[in-house]
Amino acid sequence: MIELYLNNKRVYINEATSIKLVDENAYFTKSGKYTFDVEIPLKDCSENIKNIGHINRLDVTKSVLNMSARIIADGHKIIDGTATVTQITEEKMKIQILSGNAEFNFLSKLPNLYIDEMDLGGVTDENGNLYDENKYIEYLFNLPIKDKYRTMYGTFDTNDFVLFPIHDTQNDVIHNDVCVRIGGVVTFPRTIYNYDSIFHPGDYGGYIATLAVQPYWCFIIRKIFKTLGYTVVENQIEDTVLKNALIANAKRTLLFSRTLPHWNISQFIEQVENFFGVVIEANDSSREIRIVRRGNYFDQETVYLYDICDEFTVDVDDDRAEDISDANISYGFESVDKYMRIDEDIMEVIEVKNFETYSQLKTYYDGLSDEDKKKYIYETEGKQYIDYRSGDSRYLRKVNQFRNLVRDKEKNTIELKIVPVQMEIGRSFLEDFGTSGTMLQCFTEIVRMQAAADPYDGKPSDVQDLIDGNTSTESARDIVELAINDGVMQRLSWVTWPPGAFVYPWPFVLTDDLKAGEVNRGFSFELNPVKGVVTMYDLVYGSTVKVSTQSELQVQFQTNKMYNPMSLFVIHCKPYICKQIEYKVDSKGIYPLKTGYFYEVT
């Protein structure tokens, strides 16, 4: 017997009805669990009209209609999710039931549901009221120095967001530009934490002129799912260094949604999964989210399929989209330093010389003529160098850190829309009062982020431009930039009087520091492996279970159970990952013969 409930009210269907149910693995698809069309009689069915309403009448608006839905067959809950009406006539209504990740797939198609337009809140006071910029600057100035630095630069363990200096290259404005007034006798060396310093809002020019909030990615992920009515109960990104990945927002705002690109929910899930190397699972009944690292994904239940029909089909498709475990990976930069990622056309015509150690590379390089040194790219331990000339100096310069991860030139490339922010050397203004009371103005060099702000601010500013198509009412960007904050304080180099040894925090994207040279901060956003450094390859793209998606095995098997498609399946002693399982449900319950689609784990 099939029991169908819509909005917690029993709805009757024909006894002879059979329902096809598909349960897809979130590892591969966002379709989740869903039914094919379920037919519900309306004409001459007073109970259904009573519980659903006169939905079949001509004067009832036939807009998109959604209801909570649940199917129970033979005492077992088959699916619990959202029913979407696909057809209405005078005699009947057809619905499709979506559950778990399938609901996200549906939500992503709703109008106006974009993450940059969601109400995600912003920087608030202790009462939950949104700060305006001037009030928040005043609040920062009045904090004790240690609280000030924790509030502005704390890691994910203490903060939801940070306020690092960032250069908006589109408008040529520096946001979060901190000027420090130092009081008392200057004694060197010292750190930012142990001297009597205040952020000064006016008297002698000290200020933070404009603010651009930079939320942590893990915080934003929680906020977006909470707004959708889901709770993140597990996020394995938070077990890695990537928990300190922050959104390098260059837009003047204290609202979190304004820091995001114009992605719908489906795009958001896809980009988070591809970049962080995770699978996002939605529990349809508890409204909970689990974010599981792909490397850990199949540490769960193993299912052994024994009662398999002799007939099976292997579908070979060379054009099937690759999984991130075996595809080529690239960053979808809008613009990137030409030395950080060398154009692929150049790489096609340049010979790369490979060496086991840097010492061997240097010996070979030094033995070449000046003319021959220019001809090659030199590679060792995952690092590439060129002969670089600037003025009278000549040296081996590291290049191509953000080059693509190429596993097979014949395969497709997955382009990441979450990309490392560009870094630059900047100058921050400071004022010092020596023992004589004379004000000494000085600048110090810092490393700061450099990004283009999205021109869209949520409000059209020029009606004619809108009509002429020169501007838009929505975000023009489809990428978002990020960096890592590890909380490490970096040394400042003073470029004018007085000399000193101060330290200051700044985020990073590579182990190479623009000021301190090559320093191993433990992680780099490089896509390829680099000896001695944890890169995105080590953390994400080289640590996942490798799945060959070109050959799809289709088998039928007998069981009275409903299996979790996220399990690891063993078929004829070989491990497989399940793409989807198809079920048939009728008045007798779940039909024993199931169809499964599997990819071999290699």
Side-chain angles (χ1 to χ4, degrees), residues 357-422:
T357 66
Y358 182 81
S359 177
Q360 292 174 354
L361 183 158
K362 187 68 165 58
T363 299
Y364 178 83
Y365 170 82
D366 289 341
L368 295 174
S369 67
D370 286 351
E371 201 58 37
D372 285 342
K373 287 178 180 178
K374 307 174 184 178
K375 296 179 179 180
Y376 309 111
I377 290 176
Y378 309 90
E379 182 171 341
T380 182
E381 300 177 342
K383 305 168 188 175
Q384 293 187 346
Y385 303 84
I386 63 166
D387 175 60
Y388 185 77
R389 300 165 306 279
S390 177
D392 296 331
S393 62
R394 182 175 197 161
Y395 57 92
L396 283 166
R397 173 175 175 170
K398 190 183 295 185
V399 295
N400 223 11
Q401 294 97 320
F402 291 138
R403 65 187 180 275
N404 297 349
L405 172 60
V406 179
R407 290 168 164 136
D408 185 341
K409 290 184 178 180
E410 301 302 316
K411 288 184 177 291
N412 292 333
T413 296
I414 294 176
E415 186 178 71
L416 306 175
K417 296 297 186 179
I418 301 174
V419 304
V421 71
Q422 301 296 291

Side-chain angles (χ1 to χ4, degrees), residues 186-204:
V186 179
T187 305
F188 300 103
R190 27 161 105 143
T191 71
I192 206 75
Y193 283 113
N194 64 11
Y195 66 91
D196 179 21
S197 173
I198 63 170
F199 290 81
H200 204 278
D203 290 358
Y204 299 97

Side-chain angles (χ1 to χ4, degrees), residues 22-34 99-104 266 269-270 272-274 277-283 288-292 294 297-298 300 323-324 563-567 569 577-581 599:
V22 179
D23 196 357
E24 297 192 2
N25 190 343
Y27 192 93
F28 296 105
T29 175
K30 293 284 109 17
S31 294
K33 185 186 290 185
Y34 57 92
S99 176
N101 289 72
E103 287 191 85
F104 288 130
S266 181
I269 292 174
E270 178 186 12
V272 168
E273 288 188 331
N274 283 345
V278 295
V279 178
I280 297 176
E281 296 179 12
N283 187 304
E288 292 178 341
I289 297 289
R290 292 178 67 242
I291 302 175
V292 183
R294 285 175 175 250
Y297 193 64
F298 296 100
Q300 43 194 336
D323 180 72
I324 66 166
Y563 292 123
N564 182 349
M566 278 74 90
S567 304
F569 289 78
I577 291 177
C578 178
K579 176 190 175 187
Q580 69 185 54
I581 302 175
Y599 299 127

